[in-house]
Amino acid sequence: MLDRIAHYKSLCAELGLPDVPKSHVCGKFVSGDGAVIALEDPYSRTVLAEYSDCGAEIANQACAASDAAQKVWMADFTAAGRGIVMQKIASLVEGRQEPLAQVEAVVSGKPIRDCQVEVAKVAEMFRYYAGYTDKLHGEVIPVPSGHLNYTIREPLGVIFQITPWNAPMFTAGWQIAPAMACGNGVVLKPSELTPVTSIALAAICEEAGAPKGLVNVLAGLGPTAGEAAIAHEATRKVVFVGSPTTGRIVATSAGKALKPVVLELGGKSANIVFEDADLEAACKGAQAAIFATAGQSCVAGSRLLVQESIKDQFVKMVADGMGQLTVGDPLDERTEIGPISNRRQFDHVTAMVDEAAKDGAKVLTGDRTMGDALIVPPTILTDLPSEANAAQAEIFGPVVTALSFEDEADAVRIANGTDFGLAGAVWTNNVSLAHRMAANVRAGTFWVNGYKAIHVSTPFGGSRLSGFGRSSGMDVLMEYTEPKSVWVETAEVPRVAFGYAPSV
Ligand code: NAD
């Protein structure tokens, strides 16, 4: 096997990054002095580097730097000029696609083929929102009093963004690009387990011409750096992507400071197969929905709902197909399923499978062992009631719970029978049924005869335990700006007097 530490260090050197992760604050790499955090490659189980939590003080410096830079971003750049910087960021990301993808694969364990696509998508996000910088305008509203009333869409100021470990650079780009396009500064805290590509992105933003400190990345922990950045007076909004448990903590801290929050949380999405579907296509779709990226995807199709009449046949098709998937080294171009990204998550996934077996599930799976690598092979759990914990809680691994339903009403009832509301899909050749399912399944994103298509141009988000607010599409522009209403007196004699209400 390739010397992972040497490979990791050479990639950092190629990207101009320190190989011991440091925060990127106001254009500089800064070391923390808090608790020691290890970056472990989950495939070779090598510790690639150890670094210290940046802590509250560096978080405070980042918020202050972003506040100052945001004012420069709005005052010294034209709207189109901001777009030009963002186009340049996209080009720099494209030019470094391979080392960025490689370092993501080594640190997170995600297969290289997925990392390459995700890095390319980050460039696409910056290009997409670059196009909005000079198109964010308000409107003139025909108020009844005859005043001239117009609105301006203003940036909020500093946005604090918190991201998880499952798609580090993709999620950083997904949040930073629209925030910048709307004229905001950003402080981003990636997962302490996968900070490297987010730090690289902050450095790229500055290299492309963004003011120093406009985009800062904290290499550190939630309870120290994260809580300080939420509380900092310059922070105007908190955007959190992660688990419902941490989302509650973050929303509580933000609520205490009366700061608005967007929460992008987990899911337990239903992938629903009717008996009239193209079963070959549905089978491939079901496998990609849950086994791609080892199921570590918020929209994973983790509940497979199959119509009773075809259940045994269809589950067998999925089980037979999963044996053909290539599981192994994330740096191998052929690998379709890599390891679970970290030890804590591996323990969670394996404990959930063991618990399901104790609850009476039949477990269809392959051999779990592959040296020390944190591999969980594709797994199907059958014979569980839809109320069982494995059918209700997020496992976030390559483990699907197969359930059966009688008819359309039963499918909708089971699909909506969890606390989540993130995504879902239906497979059928009946177009009317497909639209009824799209209308009735509770989900922020729904697919018909497909799974997992998402794009920066379309809104993304969930409800209930899956969170609230939207990332991406035009809807996110409303999250990252607020309207100001301006009233201009047009009467010859100004209508200002006690008891006068112009708009009534
Ligand atoms: P997590 O909730 O454990 O951590 C997410 C982030 O929160 C990390 O950066 C962590 O350091 C930070 N954090 C922890 N405590 C904090 C605190 N007190 N203050 C501020 N920040 C704090 O989640 P995870 O295990 O990294 O990621 C997996 C979860 O993310 C899954 O539930 C998955 O569904 C979800 N997810 C959701 C989406 C989406 O868009 N809906 C996308 C990807 C992942």
Side-chain angles (χ1 to χ4, degrees), residues 160-167 170-171 174-175 189-194 220-228 230 238 240-247 249-250 253 263-268 296-300 342 344-345 394 396 420 422 460-462 466-467 471:
F160 178 44
Q161 303 171 336
I162 305 167
T163 56
W165 45 259
N166 66 310
F170 180 90
T171 316
W174 192 249
Q175 297 302 339
K189 197 205 84 58
S191 167
E192 60 277 10
L193 302 174
T194 53
L221 300 170
T224 52
E227 293 288 348
I230 293 169
V238 179
F240 174 81
V241 186
S243 64
T245 307
T246 314
I249 296 170
V250 166
S253 302
L263 297 178
E264 294 282 5
L265 308 177
K268 191 73 180 175
Q296 299 164 105
S297 159
C298 55
V299 294
N342 56 77
R344 188 186 62 181
Q345 186 61 21
E394 191 178 43
F396 217 56
F420 294 99
L422 193 61
F460 182 84
S466 298
S471 299

